[in-house]
């Protein structure tokens, strides 16, 4: 690897801007305020917690873009990373 | 058949007024009868960019309030007899005009003009609503910066919601030297992000500043920006025009070729 390759590895500010914008516009277009995202997060925690023990503080959700299965470009997707502490053996009855 | 075009961007300072002046003057140069309307009430600017600031008697608010007939308020351009400006009011605020009043005025102007071009204020409030109320199509001006593109995206959504039939994109102030270094988003990047049709790109050209200083739009002259604006005008008329090579600086072109060879 030459010296120039080393330099090229660093992401240029133009690419950085493009990536930031793509993410930003997905949430802008979805009209998803931080409040709504917080609500979704709390609802997810509530539902998943009925079945397993999760680390609520480590939960991360965000709107991103992903290639659609139909092959017609990118579509918005809800990405959620939910750390599980313990799989409960039996589901709690729903109230 | 006349056409009503709104020039809008969301963010301020990206070149709406300069674009309005140049597209309007260019269309007049191409023998169309054109009227430019400055809808930015309280922050009048199109008159100075056109170099017509000393000829204003009546303004847009006078016309909608019935203080004068619209013909009394229209200012004829210095160079093109088929180009007119309807200036904005400087001492009123944006609520002095309603979308209905704009629609009515534009309907009247349609009888006389081929192109009615509306210079929209920044923002998405009353002034924006007034400007888009009567428009058939929109030219969205943006620069290759995150803030301008974000606002442009919002505007595109609002125009769709208001059933503007056609929206085209102008990427303004592009610097090819920075794009080449990867330090600025390219025209292709911007088009990909906003996902609307491109109608032209205008380079960051110091001649724009000079022409604004002089109050004389540069469309159609030999500068890179002048040619870029003329091409946009032709595309507005439906002509197919090839895209300009914005890397016009011959010296750098040669230089970059030399570097390519040595690699």
């Amino acid at each position: 690897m030459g010296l120039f390759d080393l330099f090229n590895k660093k992401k240029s500010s133009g690419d950085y801007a493009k990536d930031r914008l793509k993410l930003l516009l997905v949430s802008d277009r979805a009209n998803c305020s931080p409040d709504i995202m917080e609500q979704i997060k709390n609802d997810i925690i509530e539902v998943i917690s009925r079945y397993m023990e999760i680390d609520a503080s480590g939960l991360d959700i965000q709107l991103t873009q992903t290639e659609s299965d139909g092959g017609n470009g990118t579509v918005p997707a809800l990405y959620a990373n939910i750390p599980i502490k313990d799989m409960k053996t039996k589901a709690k009855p729903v109230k | 058949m006349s056409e009503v075009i709104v020039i809008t961007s969301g963010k301020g300072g990206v070149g709406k007024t300069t674009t309005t002046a140049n597209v309007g003057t260019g269309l007049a140069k191409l023998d169309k009868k054109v009227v430019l309307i400055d809808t930015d009430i309280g922050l009048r600017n199109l008159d100075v960019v056109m170099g017509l600031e000393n000829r204003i008697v009546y303004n847009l608010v006078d016309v909608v309030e019935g203080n004068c007939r619209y013909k009394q308020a229209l200012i004829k351009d210095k160079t093109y007899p088929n180009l007119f400006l309807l200036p904005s009011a400087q001492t009123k605020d944006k609520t002095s005009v309603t979308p209905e009043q704009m629609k009515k005025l534009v309907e009247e102007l349609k009888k006389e003009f081929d192109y009615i071009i509306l210079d929209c204020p920044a923002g998405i409030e009353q002034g924006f609503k007034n400007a888009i109320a009567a428009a058939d199509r929109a030219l969205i001006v943006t620069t290759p910066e995150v803030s301008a593109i974000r606002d442009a995206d919002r505007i595109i959504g609002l125009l769709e919601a208001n059933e503007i039939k056609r929206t085209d994109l102008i990427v303004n102030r592009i610097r090819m030297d920075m794009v080449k270094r990867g330090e600025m988003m390219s025209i292709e990047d911007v088009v990909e992000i906003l996902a609307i049709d491109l109608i032209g790109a205008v380079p960051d050209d110091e001649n724009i500043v000079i022409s604004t200083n002089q109050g004389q739009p540069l469309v159609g002259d030999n500068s890179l920006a002048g040619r870029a604006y003329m091409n946009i005008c032709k595309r507005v008329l439906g002509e197919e025009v090839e895209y300009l090579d914005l890397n016009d600086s011959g010296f750098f072109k040669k230089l970059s070729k030399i570097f390519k060879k040595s690699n």
Side-chain angles (χ1 to χ4, degrees):
Chain A
M1 193 197 289
L3 189 61
F4 280 103
D5 293 328
L6 264 178
F7 277 113
N8 285 339
K9 272 210 151 172
K10 201 180 144 217
K11 208 177 196 178
S12 72
S13 70
D15 287 336
Y16 194 54
K18 191 178 170 188
D19 291 347
R20 283 174 64 211
L21 259 172
K22 277 187 166 173
L23 264 181
L24 178 65
L25 293 189
V26 171
S27 54
D28 275 4
R29 285 171 189 166
N31 204 6
C32 246
S33 66
D35 276 357
I36 293 178
M37 289 300 283
E38 196 57 37
Q39 269 179 31
I40 295 175
K41 190 170 156 180
N42 289 336
D43 287 355
I44 289 177
I45 292 172
E46 194 200 308
V47 172
I48 309 277
S49 297
R50 283 183 208 148
Y51 303 95
M52 54 193 75
E53 202 179 322
I54 60 172
D55 175 14
S57 63
L59 185 136
D60 173 36
I61 66 163
Q62 50 185 293
L63 278 168
T64 60
Q65 281 196 308
T66 184
E67 282 302 318
S68 83
D69 292 336
N72 44 5
T74 53
V75 290
L78 184 71
Y79 160 91
N81 186 3
I82 310 165
I84 301 168
K85 278 185 181 165
D86 189 21
M87 296 289 287
K88 287 175 189 166
T89 44
K90 208 174 166 190
K92 271 189 202 167
V94 183
K95 274 174 246 167
Chain B
M1 212 1 223
S2 48
E3 196 162 40
V4 186
I5 307 176
V6 61
I7 305 212
T8 181
S9 68
K11 188 178 176 297
V14 297
K16 280 182 300 296
T17 302
T18 310
T19 300
T20 306
N22 280 286
V23 169
T25 307
L27 288 170
K29 233 177 189 171
L30 295 167
D31 288 329
K32 298 293 172 191
K33 195 167 183 196
V34 182
V35 60
L36 310 176
I37 308 180
D38 188 350
T39 66
D40 198 348
I41 299 165
L43 291 168
R44 163 161 97 193
N45 270 326
L46 187 54
D47 53 338
V48 276
V49 176
M50 294 295 294
L52 300 170
E53 68 273 20
N54 292 328
R55 305 183 187 192
I56 298 175
V57 183
Y58 294 109
N59 59 52
L60 175 64
V61 176
D62 289 324
V63 176
V64 298
E65 285 181 352
N67 298 334
C68 68
R69 280 172 289 117
Y70 78 79
K71 282 192 181 171
Q72 292 174 284
L74 292 182
I75 306 164
K76 193 188 274 184
D77 185 62
K78 293 174 293 188
T79 320
Y80 300 98
N82 49 336
L83 175 63
F84 293 83
L85 169 71
L86 179 54
S88 158
Q90 186 70 326
T91 53
K92 303 276 172 140
D93 69 85
K94 282 175 180 147
T95 52
S96 318
V97 177
T98 64
E100 286 68 37
Q101 287 171 322
M102 279 305 293
K103 272 190 197 167
K104 206 177 140 213
L105 172 65
V106 166
E107 275 314 310
E108 269 195 73
L109 291 167
K110 270 184 180 176
K111 292 174 196 159
E112 204 177 324
F113 292 94
D114 300 320
Y115 283 91
I116 297 152
I117 302 184
L118 300 140
D119 184 18
C120 181
I124 52 175
E125 293 87 24
Q126 176 88 35
F128 169 75
K129 286 175 191 153
N130 286 340
I132 67 165
D136 301 315
R137 63 188 284 193
L139 299 183
I140 312 234
V141 184
T142 193
T143 58
E145 289 159 292
V146 283
S147 49
I149 294 170
R150 183 194 201 177
D151 288 0
D153 189 72
R154 182 104 168 81
I155 292 290
I156 292 165
L158 289 171
L159 291 172
E160 272 171 19
N162 283 279
E163 287 165 359
I164 304 283
K165 281 169 247 154
R166 190 174 163 189
T167 51
D168 293 285
L169 182 68
I170 295 176
V171 181
N172 197 14
R173 292 213 196 109
I174 191 107
R175 284 186 52 183
M176 292 314 284
D177 56 327
M178 288 189 76
V179 172
K180 266 188 208 151
R181 277 187 273 134
E183 306 297 357
M184 183 178 267
M185 279 177 275
S186 67
I187 300 163
E188 293 77 19
D189 289 340
V190 181
V191 172
E192 184 195 324
I193 291 168
L194 290 175
I196 61 169
D197 292 332
L198 181 75
I199 199 163
V202 183
D204 190 16
D205 186 341
E206 61 177 39
N207 287 300
I208 290 278
V209 179
I210 297 169
S211 93
T212 309
N213 289 344
Q214 294 166 337
Q216 186 71 61
L218 53 57
V219 61
D221 76 4
N222 247 334
S223 69
L224 207 50
R227 284 187 281 152
Y229 272 124
M230 202 50 176
N231 283 353
I232 290 173
C233 293
K234 288 178 181 166
R235 291 187 198 113
V236 166
L237 296 181
E239 269 182 57
E240 292 223 359
V241 190
E242 249 188 81
Y243 282 91
L244 271 182
D245 179 12
L246 297 179
N247 310 298
D248 206 36
S249 154
F251 173 72
F252 282 109
K253 219 175 186 179
K254 273 174 210 153
L255 207 66
S256 67
K257 268 186 193 154
I258 292 167
F259 274 111
K260 262 182 207 152
K261 267 181 207 158
S262 66
N263 274 345

